[in-house]
Amino acid sequence: MIRVGLIGAGFMGTMHSSVYSFLPNVKVAAVCDLDREKAEKIAQQQGAKVYTDPDALLADSSLKLDLVDICLPTFLHAEYACKAAASGLNVLCEKPFALDLQSVDKIISAVDEAKVKLMVGQCVRFWPEYQVLKQVATEGRFGEIQGAWFSRLSPLPTWGWENWLLDPARSGGAAFDMHIHDTDFILYLLGKPQAVFSTAIEDQYGLSHISTQYLYDKLMVTAEAGWNYPAKFPFQAKFRVVFQEAVLALEERGLIVYPGDGADPYSIEIKKDTSESSAAGGNISDLGGYYNEIKYYLDCLEKGESPKVVTAQSARESVAVTLAEIESAKSGKIVSIS
Ligand SMILES: NC(=O)c1ccc[n+]([C@@H]2O[C@H](COP(=O)([O-])OP(=O)(O)OC[C@H]3O[C@@H](n4cnc5c(N)ncnc54)[C@H](O)[C@@H]3O)[C@@H](O)[C@H]2O)c1
């Protein structure tokens, strides 16, 4: 049984708690949030102890924790990931890793020194439709990729604690909060580009819409993300990938293959897991990639293996490329990726 201390009981802390409700090999032993009511709500469902100070949770050895799950606002990731590692605990840290490479490197050093296992929640690598895309590309089912387009759009995120998401110094704006999902997946799918060229819309919330061309030798790759859409615009994440023999597209109606020989388009069904949990208030499929992500990490811990789908270095690279994209948008220049 893996014993978890969950720090941050907001939107993502609640999501992670729902995932834990479905997993038999985990016990949420402690929940911490500055806002006691939020921590209590999750703690009641999980039978966990409540904290309002993360340091107190980390100092309580009677909890016998194996893992700290950090669902705090992004600017706090480095402080508490380092403290958790220094306490000898494995760390699951929500994405993005951190907002600058110094903070990322501090976390990596702390984790290496303590010899604990870290995973950053780059959840798109675990999202069913994106998993199919990765598999189809790896198998070469439709030949090689020639070009790809990704998009992620939403209204302004106004739910956060103290509106931290709207403060670019604390969230990194739409580039770090949304766009990094696609940047990370592009690196996973296609490797590192030679350079990036970005344009962006900047407003009082920082870069609230960014569009990037990832410059590869023989590939045409673009991704855009923005949270500057009207309040009634539904969140959407889409892609279109051009293979030699077909186009694979994630559309509103699902994952569709458009064969290159002119045959009728067909959909690829994602198998649903309708197991329910009253504590989670829904079924496993409602949890999308978050279930796959956390299950994978816990399985790695049980086997004593380091996660391979997301590594500290891959999460670091996603931060480095996102920083290059922001630099490009601000300077109007192509920025090389080292
Ligand atoms: N993987 C994804 O798809 C995804 C989606 C949304 C958010 N996130 C990430 O998850 C993280 C959390 O985002 P969120 O949307 O849950 O934010 P949120 O504002 O809903 O939750 C953050 C919680 O942290 C608490 N908190 C703030 N400072 C604290 C402190 N010092 N000690 C204890 N508690 C404190 C707040 O009270 C709040 O409940 C961010 O890094 C965000 O980027 C990831």
Side-chain angles (χ1 to χ4, degrees):
M1 186 66 71
I2 296 170
R3 293 177 64 83
V4 179
L6 178 63
I7 306 183
F11 176 72
M12 276 321 279
T14 303
M15 182 67 78
H16 284 206
S17 168
S18 296
V19 171
Y20 292 128
S21 304
F22 281 106
L23 295 168
N25 57 343
V26 66
K27 161 78 190 153
V28 179
V31 182
C32 174
D33 199 289
L34 282 181
D35 181 336
R36 175 173 280 276
E37 266 181 38
K38 285 192 195 168
E40 274 173 354
K41 194 168 169 209
I42 294 180
Q44 268 168 15
Q45 290 162 350
Q46 300 285 358
K49 214 167 153 185
V50 172
Y51 293 80
T52 52
D53 174 5
D55 291 325
L57 180 152
L58 292 172
D60 188 346
S61 58
S62 74
L63 291 169
K64 299 195 179 341
L65 297 179
D66 301 291
L67 156 67
V68 170
D69 180 351
I70 297 176
C71 292
L72 289 168
T74 302
F75 72 101
L76 294 169
H77 289 181
E79 178 181 351
Y80 290 105
C82 289
K83 284 180 172 170
S87 307
L89 299 169
N90 297 301
V91 182
L92 176 60
C93 178
E94 253 311 329
K95 60 48 69 182
F97 207 165
L99 298 174
D100 58 77
L101 290 177
Q102 290 94 315
S103 301
V104 163
D105 289 340
K106 261 193 211 160
I107 303 175
I108 294 177
S109 300
V111 160
D112 286 349
E113 207 168 297
K115 298 190 168 50
V116 293
K117 294 185 171 43
L118 164 87
M119 194 170 92
V120 176
Q122 291 292 169
C123 58
V124 176
R125 295 185 184 215
F126 299 91
W127 220 265
E129 291 83 355
Y130 293 75
Q131 285 180 316
V132 171
L133 166 56
K134 172 74 175 166
Q135 196 185 343
V136 162
T138 306
E139 286 169 358
R141 198 185 303 173
F142 303 129
E144 305 224 324
I145 293 177
Q146 296 176 327
W149 169 89
F150 296 84
S151 164
R152 194 167 292 271
L153 303 171
S154 83
L156 207 58
T158 50
W159 69 77
W161 163 77
E162 286 188 354
N163 250 343
W164 71 272
L165 282 151
L166 304 186
D167 174 1
R170 297 196 283 180
S171 70
F176 263 106
D177 203 72
M178 290 180 79
H179 185 62
I180 196 167
H181 281 299
D182 293 305
T183 297
D184 179 72
F185 191 78
I186 287 168
L187 297 179
Y188 183 49
L189 185 69
L190 302 167
K192 242 193 315 190
Q194 288 152 356
V196 290
F197 177 67
S198 305
T199 50
I201 297 172
E202 186 159 16
D203 58 23
Q204 70 267 43
Y205 309 121
L207 301 187
S208 59
H209 199 135
I210 182 162
S211 170
T212 298
Q213 285 177 43
Y214 301 80
L215 307 179
Y216 292 88
D217 223 6
K218 286 186 185 137
L219 289 167
M220 196 184 80
V221 182
T222 305
E224 65 153 347
W227 63 26
N228 55 345
Y229 274 54
K232 294 282 159 71
F233 188 90
F235 169 83
Q236 55 178 252
K238 293 184 175 173
F239 62 72
R240 221 168 40 231
V241 178
V242 182
F243 289 86
Q244 285 168 313
E245 293 155 24
V247 169
L248 179 62
L250 176 58
E251 304 178 346
E252 248 148 76
R253 59 190 174 133
L255 198 52
I256 313 289
V257 178
Y258 295 87
D261 62 6
D264 286 343
Y266 59 93
S267 54
I268 298 182
E269 294 303 329
I270 302 292
K271 220 172 126 213
K272 297 255 182 232
D273 185 334
T274 50
S275 316
E276 298 218 351
S277 150
S278 54
N283 65 47
I284 289 182
S285 284
D286 293 338
L287 298 167
Y290 301 127
Y291 174 84
N292 300 336
E293 169 195 273
I294 294 179
K295 182 178 187 313
Y296 169 78
Y297 178 58
L298 296 180
D299 287 348
C300 287
L301 292 185
E302 282 210 318
K303 288 187 221 149
E305 289 173 4
S306 295
K308 292 186 189 67
V309 175
V310 180
T311 64
Q313 282 311 320
S314 74
R316 184 187 192 280
E317 217 156 74
S318 297
V319 171
V321 174
T322 303
L323 287 168
E325 292 177 60
I326 293 170
E327 186 189 334
S328 173
K330 294 204 166 186
S331 66
K333 296 194 170 127
I334 290 175
V335 175
S336 302
I337 305 295
S338 51

